[in-house]
PDB file of all heavy atoms in Angstrom:
ATOM      1  N   ARG F 193       0.474 -12.902  11.789  1.00  0.00           N
ATOM      2  CA  ARG F 193       0.222 -11.709  10.754  1.00  0.00           C
ATOM      3  C   ARG F 193      -1.205 -11.354  11.050  1.00  0.00           C
ATOM      4  O   ARG F 193      -2.204 -12.132  10.617  1.00  0.00           O
ATOM      5  CB  ARG F 193       0.307 -12.376   9.401  1.00  0.00           C
ATOM      6  CG  ARG F 193       1.815 -12.509   8.951  1.00  0.00           C
ATOM      7  CD  ARG F 193       1.998 -12.777   7.456  1.00  0.00           C
ATOM      8  NE  ARG F 193       0.854 -13.270   6.805  1.00  0.00           N
ATOM      9  CZ  ARG F 193       0.451 -12.833   5.598  1.00  0.00           C
ATOM     10  NH1 ARG F 193       0.976 -11.899   4.965  1.00  0.00           N
ATOM     11  NH2 ARG F 193      -0.650 -13.341   4.996  1.00  0.00           N
ATOM     12  N   ASP F 194      -1.383 -10.360  11.830  1.00  0.00           N
ATOM     13  CA  ASP F 194      -2.793  -9.858  12.167  1.00  0.00           C
ATOM     14  C   ASP F 194      -3.571  -9.645  10.923  1.00  0.00           C
ATOM     15  O   ASP F 194      -3.120  -9.331   9.889  1.00  0.00           O
ATOM     16  CB  ASP F 194      -2.630  -8.566  12.895  1.00  0.00           C
ATOM     17  CG  ASP F 194      -1.970  -8.730  14.282  1.00  0.00           C
ATOM     18  OD1 ASP F 194      -1.910  -9.857  14.788  1.00  0.00           O
ATOM     19  OD2 ASP F 194      -1.352  -7.674  14.769  1.00  0.00           O
ATOM     20  N   LEU F 195      -4.915  -9.733  11.074  1.00  0.00           N
ATOM     21  CA  LEU F 195      -5.856  -9.495  10.037  1.00  0.00           C
ATOM     22  C   LEU F 195      -6.854  -8.550  10.503  1.00  0.00           C
ATOM     23  O   LEU F 195      -7.333  -8.716  11.633  1.00  0.00           O
ATOM     24  CB  LEU F 195      -6.421 -10.798   9.649  1.00  0.00           C
ATOM     25  CG  LEU F 195      -7.531 -10.701   8.419  1.00  0.00           C
ATOM     26  CD1 LEU F 195      -7.638 -12.118   7.626  1.00  0.00           C
ATOM     27  CD2 LEU F 195      -8.950 -10.285   8.869  1.00  0.00           C
ATOM     28  N   VAL F 196      -7.178  -7.434   9.811  1.00  0.00           N
ATOM     29  CA  VAL F 196      -8.137  -6.427  10.128  1.00  0.00           C
ATOM     30  C   VAL F 196      -9.053  -6.366   8.913  1.00  0.00           C
ATOM     31  O   VAL F 196      -8.602  -6.249   7.751  1.00  0.00           O
ATOM     32  CB  VAL F 196      -7.574  -5.205  10.465  1.00  0.00           C
ATOM     33  CG1 VAL F 196      -8.652  -4.024  10.657  1.00  0.00           C
ATOM     34  CG2 VAL F 196      -6.699  -5.240  11.749  1.00  0.00           C
ATOM     35  N   THR F 197     -10.328  -6.415   9.107  1.00  0.00           N
ATOM     36  CA  THR F 197     -11.477  -6.209   8.030  1.00  0.00           C
ATOM     37  C   THR F 197     -12.572  -5.507   8.574  1.00  0.00           C
ATOM     38  O   THR F 197     -12.985  -5.559   9.745  1.00  0.00           O
ATOM     39  CB  THR F 197     -11.934  -7.592   7.539  1.00  0.00           C
ATOM     40  OG1 THR F 197     -12.906  -7.459   6.594  1.00  0.00           O
ATOM     41  CG2 THR F 197     -12.462  -8.497   8.655  1.00  0.00           C
ATOM     42  N   ASP F 198     -13.229  -4.758   7.678  1.00  0.00           N
ATOM     43  CA  ASP F 198     -14.519  -4.070   7.935  1.00  0.00           C
ATOM     44  C   ASP F 198     -15.742  -4.876   7.194  1.00  0.00           C
ATOM     45  O   ASP F 198     -16.899  -4.359   7.199  1.00  0.00           O
ATOM     46  CB  ASP F 198     -14.549  -2.559   7.475  1.00  0.00           C
ATOM     47  CG  ASP F 198     -14.232  -2.537   5.994  1.00  0.00           C
ATOM     48  OD1 ASP F 198     -14.294  -3.476   5.231  1.00  0.00           O
ATOM     49  OD2 ASP F 198     -14.308  -1.308   5.491  1.00  0.00           O
ATOM     50  N   GLY F 199     -15.286  -6.061   6.859  1.00  0.00           N
ATOM     51  CA  GLY F 199     -16.402  -6.781   6.048  1.00  0.00           C
ATOM     52  C   GLY F 199     -16.264  -6.703   4.462  1.00  0.00           C
ATOM     53  O   GLY F 199     -16.852  -7.556   3.759  1.00  0.00           O
ATOM     54  N   ASP F 200     -15.536  -5.620   4.000  1.00  0.00           N
ATOM     55  CA  ASP F 200     -15.245  -5.504   2.562  1.00  0.00           C
ATOM     56  C   ASP F 200     -13.823  -5.653   2.353  1.00  0.00           C
ATOM     57  O   ASP F 200     -13.384  -6.439   1.584  1.00  0.00           O
ATOM     58  CB  ASP F 200     -15.850  -4.051   2.054  1.00  0.00           C
ATOM     59  CG  ASP F 200     -17.362  -3.939   2.274  1.00  0.00           C
ATOM     60  OD1 ASP F 200     -17.891  -5.115   2.019  1.00  0.00           O
ATOM     61  OD2 ASP F 200     -17.827  -2.885   2.741  1.00  0.00           O
ATOM     62  N   ARG F 201     -13.004  -4.852   2.955  1.00  0.00           N
ATOM     63  CA  ARG F 201     -11.541  -4.734   2.843  1.00  0.00           C
ATOM     64  C   ARG F 201     -10.853  -5.648   3.816  1.00  0.00           C
ATOM     65  O   ARG F 201     -11.366  -5.784   4.936  1.00  0.00           O
ATOM     66  CB  ARG F 201     -10.939  -3.236   2.972  1.00  0.00           C
ATOM     67  CG  ARG F 201     -11.641  -2.193   2.277  1.00  0.00           C
ATOM     68  CD  ARG F 201     -11.533  -2.206   0.781  1.00  0.00           C
ATOM     69  NE  ARG F 201     -10.152  -2.024   0.460  1.00  0.00           N
ATOM     70  CZ  ARG F 201      -9.771  -1.483  -0.705  1.00  0.00           C
ATOM     71  NH1 ARG F 201     -10.495  -0.959  -1.617  1.00  0.00           N
ATOM     72  NH2 ARG F 201      -8.477  -1.407  -0.884  1.00  0.00           N
ATOM     73  N   VAL F 202      -9.829  -6.291   3.399  1.00  0.00           N
ATOM     74  CA  VAL F 202      -9.096  -7.091   4.361  1.00  0.00           C
ATOM     75  C   VAL F 202      -7.579  -6.724   4.262  1.00  0.00           C
ATOM     76  O   VAL F 202      -7.071  -6.651   3.269  1.00  0.00           O
ATOM     77  CB  VAL F 202      -9.193  -8.600   3.907  1.00  0.00           C
ATOM     78  CG1 VAL F 202      -8.320  -9.474   4.804  1.00  0.00           C
ATOM     79  CG2 VAL F 202     -10.612  -9.058   3.848  1.00  0.00           C
ATOM     80  N   TYR F 203      -7.114  -6.289   5.408  1.00  0.00           N
ATOM     81  CA  TYR F 203      -5.681  -6.080   5.506  1.00  0.00           C
ATOM     82  C   TYR F 203      -4.938  -7.056   6.289  1.00  0.00           C
ATOM     83  O   TYR F 203      -5.526  -7.515   7.430  1.00  0.00           O
ATOM     84  CB  TYR F 203      -5.645  -4.530   6.279  1.00  0.00           C
ATOM     85  CG  TYR F 203      -6.247  -3.531   5.455  1.00  0.00           C
ATOM     86  CD1 TYR F 203      -7.644  -3.072   5.769  1.00  0.00           C
ATOM     87  CD2 TYR F 203      -5.711  -2.911   4.444  1.00  0.00           C
ATOM     88  CE1 TYR F 203      -8.232  -2.167   5.053  1.00  0.00           C
ATOM     89  CE2 TYR F 203      -6.371  -1.901   3.590  1.00  0.00           C
ATOM     90  CZ  TYR F 203      -7.557  -1.487   3.959  1.00  0.00           C
ATOM     91  OH  TYR F 203      -8.271  -0.507   3.330  1.00  0.00           O
ATOM     92  N   ARG F 204      -3.691  -7.218   6.015  1.00  0.00           N
ATOM     93  CA  ARG F 204      -2.842  -8.127   6.873  1.00  0.00           C
ATOM     94  C   ARG F 204      -1.595  -7.305   7.332  1.00  0.00           C
ATOM     95  O   ARG F 204      -1.021  -6.459   6.619  1.00  0.00           O
ATOM     96  CB  ARG F 204      -2.312  -9.381   6.081  1.00  0.00           C
ATOM     97  CG  ARG F 204      -3.426 -10.216   5.511  1.00  0.00           C
ATOM     98  CD  ARG F 204      -4.159 -10.863   6.653  1.00  0.00           C
ATOM     99  NE  ARG F 204      -3.400 -11.739   7.521  1.00  0.00           N
ATOM    100  CZ  ARG F 204      -3.360 -13.085   7.414  1.00  0.00           C
ATOM    101  NH1 ARG F 204      -3.853 -13.707   6.419  1.00  0.00           N
ATOM    102  NH2 ARG F 204      -2.517 -13.780   8.295  1.00  0.00           N
ATOM    103  N   LEU F 205      -1.306  -7.510   8.550  1.00  0.00           N
ATOM    104  CA  LEU F 205      -0.217  -6.728   9.346  1.00  0.00           C
ATOM    105  C   LEU F 205       0.813  -7.713   9.769  1.00  0.00           C
ATOM    106  O   LEU F 205       0.723  -8.361  10.698  1.00  0.00           O
ATOM    107  CB  LEU F 205      -0.844  -5.901  10.465  1.00  0.00           C
ATOM    108  CG  LEU F 205      -2.210  -5.223  10.195  1.00  0.00           C
ATOM    109  CD1 LEU F 205      -2.803  -4.666  11.459  1.00  0.00           C
ATOM    110  CD2 LEU F 205      -2.082  -4.212   9.027  1.00  0.00           C
ATOM    111  N   PRO F 206       1.916  -7.822   9.000  1.00  0.00           N
ATOM    112  CA  PRO F 206       2.843  -8.852   9.293  1.00  0.00           C
ATOM    113  C   PRO F 206       3.877  -8.625  10.381  1.00  0.00           C
ATOM    114  O   PRO F 206       4.646  -9.532  10.820  1.00  0.00           O
ATOM    115  CB  PRO F 206       3.669  -9.081   8.015  1.00  0.00           C
ATOM    116  CG  PRO F 206       3.586  -7.675   7.298  1.00  0.00           C
ATOM    117  CD  PRO F 206       2.229  -7.099   7.755  1.00  0.00           C
ATOM    118  N   GLY F 207       3.894  -7.481  10.966  1.00  0.00           N
ATOM    119  CA  GLY F 207       4.919  -7.022  11.972  1.00  0.00           C
ATOM    120  C   GLY F 207       4.651  -7.696  13.406  1.00  0.00           C
ATOM    121  O   GLY F 207       3.946  -8.647  13.542  1.00  0.00           O
ATOM    122  N   GLY F 208       5.392  -7.257  14.429  1.00  0.00           N
ATOM    123  CA  GLY F 208       5.284  -7.782  15.840  1.00  0.00           C
ATOM    124  C   GLY F 208       6.454  -8.666  16.166  1.00  0.00           C
ATOM    125  O   GLY F 208       7.525  -8.724  15.660  1.00  0.00           O
ATOM    126  N   ASN F 209       6.264  -9.237  17.265  1.00  0.00           N
ATOM    127  CA  ASN F 209       7.270 -10.050  17.918  1.00  0.00           C
ATOM    128  C   ASN F 209       6.647 -11.193  18.646  1.00  0.00           C
ATOM    129  O   ASN F 209       5.650 -11.069  19.452  1.00  0.00           O
ATOM    130  CB  ASN F 209       8.066  -9.282  18.916  1.00  0.00           C
ATOM    131  CG  ASN F 209       9.300  -9.904  19.380  1.00  0.00           C
ATOM    132  OD1 ASN F 209       9.213 -11.108  19.961  1.00  0.00           O
ATOM    133  ND2 ASN F 209      10.470  -9.411  19.142  1.00  0.00           N
ATOM    134  N   ALA F 210       7.140 -12.402  18.369  1.00  0.00           N
ATOM    135  CA  ALA F 210       6.553 -13.667  18.991  1.00  0.00           C
ATOM    136  C   ALA F 210       6.651 -13.739  20.510  1.00  0.00           C
ATOM    137  O   ALA F 210       5.858 -14.466  21.103  1.00  0.00           O
ATOM    138  CB  ALA F 210       7.186 -14.889  18.457  1.00  0.00           C
ATOM    139  N   MET F 211       7.473 -12.864  20.997  1.00  0.00           N
ATOM    140  CA  MET F 211       7.593 -12.762  22.565  1.00  0.00           C
ATOM    141  C   MET F 211       6.235 -12.370  23.179  1.00  0.00           C
ATOM    142  O   MET F 211       5.911 -12.506  24.424  1.00  0.00           O
ATOM    143  CB  MET F 211       8.660 -11.814  23.016  1.00  0.00           C
ATOM    144  CG  MET F 211       9.017 -11.865  24.417  1.00  0.00           C
ATOM    145  SD  MET F 211       9.490 -13.338  25.080  1.00  0.00           S
ATOM    146  CE  MET F 211      11.193 -13.338  24.973  1.00  0.00           C
ATOM    147  N   MET F 212       5.332 -11.705  22.360  1.00  0.00           N
ATOM    148  CA  MET F 212       4.098 -11.291  22.647  1.00  0.00           C
ATOM    149  C   MET F 212       3.211 -12.486  23.264  1.00  0.00           C
ATOM    150  O   MET F 212       2.318 -12.286  24.109  1.00  0.00           O
ATOM    151  CB  MET F 212       3.266 -10.700  21.696  1.00  0.00           C
ATOM    152  CG  MET F 212       3.928  -9.180  21.308  1.00  0.00           C
ATOM    153  SD  MET F 212       3.583  -8.116  22.573  1.00  0.00           S
ATOM    154  CE  MET F 212       1.968  -7.180  22.079  1.00  0.00           C
ATOM    155  N   THR F 213       3.555 -13.625  22.794  1.00  0.00           N
ATOM    156  CA  THR F 213       2.813 -14.851  23.270  1.00  0.00           C
ATOM    157  C   THR F 213       3.277 -15.314  24.680  1.00  0.00           C
ATOM    158  O   THR F 213       2.767 -16.262  25.263  1.00  0.00           O
ATOM    159  CB  THR F 213       2.851 -15.911  22.253  1.00  0.00           C
ATOM    160  OG1 THR F 213       4.205 -16.267  22.155  1.00  0.00           O
ATOM    161  CG2 THR F 213       2.191 -15.681  20.846  1.00  0.00           C
ATOM    162  N   LYS F 214       4.337 -14.750  25.077  1.00  0.00           N
ATOM    163  CA  LYS F 214       5.027 -15.097  26.361  1.00  0.00           C
ATOM    164  C   LYS F 214       4.687 -14.099  27.516  1.00  0.00           C
ATOM    165  O   LYS F 214       5.133 -14.410  28.568  1.00  0.00           O
ATOM    166  CB  LYS F 214       6.493 -15.362  26.219  1.00  0.00           C
ATOM    167  CG  LYS F 214       6.826 -16.316  25.172  1.00  0.00           C
ATOM    168  CD  LYS F 214       6.367 -17.764  25.651  1.00  0.00           C
ATOM    169  CE  LYS F 214       6.487 -18.708  24.451  1.00  0.00           C
ATOM    170  NZ  LYS F 214       5.705 -19.900  24.619  1.00  0.00           N
ATOM    171  N   ILE F 215       3.868 -13.130  27.136  1.00  0.00           N
ATOM    172  CA  ILE F 215       3.277 -12.338  28.356  1.00  0.00           C
ATOM    173  C   ILE F 215       1.693 -12.384  28.357  1.00  0.00           C
ATOM    174  O   ILE F 215       1.173 -12.414  27.234  1.00  0.00           O
ATOM    175  CB  ILE F 215       3.847 -10.808  28.211  1.00  0.00           C
ATOM    176  CG1 ILE F 215       3.288 -10.104  26.903  1.00  0.00           C
ATOM    177  CG2 ILE F 215       5.254 -10.615  28.268  1.00  0.00           C
ATOM    178  CD1 ILE F 215       3.485  -8.645  26.916  1.00  0.00           C
ATOM    179  N   THR F 216       1.240 -12.633  29.462  1.00  0.00           N
ATOM    180  CA  THR F 216      -0.303 -12.758  29.530  1.00  0.00           C
ATOM    181  C   THR F 216      -0.817 -11.372  29.323  1.00  0.00           C
ATOM    182  O   THR F 216      -0.308 -10.393  29.972  1.00  0.00           O
ATOM    183  CB  THR F 216      -0.731 -13.477  30.799  1.00  0.00           C
ATOM    184  OG1 THR F 216      -2.164 -13.624  30.577  1.00  0.00           O
ATOM    185  CG2 THR F 216      -0.519 -12.655  32.127  1.00  0.00           C
ATOM    186  N   GLY F 217      -1.922 -11.260  28.577  1.00  0.00           N
ATOM    187  CA  GLY F 217      -2.634  -9.990  28.438  1.00  0.00           C
ATOM    188  C   GLY F 217      -2.129  -9.116  27.200  1.00  0.00           C
ATOM    189  O   GLY F 217      -2.675  -7.977  26.956  1.00  0.00           O
ATOM    190  N   ALA F 218      -1.342  -9.825  26.264  1.00  0.00           N
ATOM    191  CA  ALA F 218      -1.039  -9.076  25.051  1.00  0.00           C
ATOM    192  C   ALA F 218      -2.225  -8.792  24.244  1.00  0.00           C
ATOM    193  O   ALA F 218      -2.528  -7.716  23.661  1.00  0.00           O
ATOM    194  CB  ALA F 218       0.026  -9.787  24.207  1.00  0.00           C
TER     195      ALA F 218
END
Side-chain angles (χ1 to χ4, degrees):
R193 287 193 334 141
D194 300 334
L195 181 154
V196 172
T197 179
D198 61 0
D200 296 321
R201 312 290 296 211
V202 177
Y203 300 97
R204 297 300 299 266
L205 317 174
N209 189 303
M211 189 58 92
M212 290 293 268
T213 62
K214 300 299 171 197
I215 60 169
T216 188

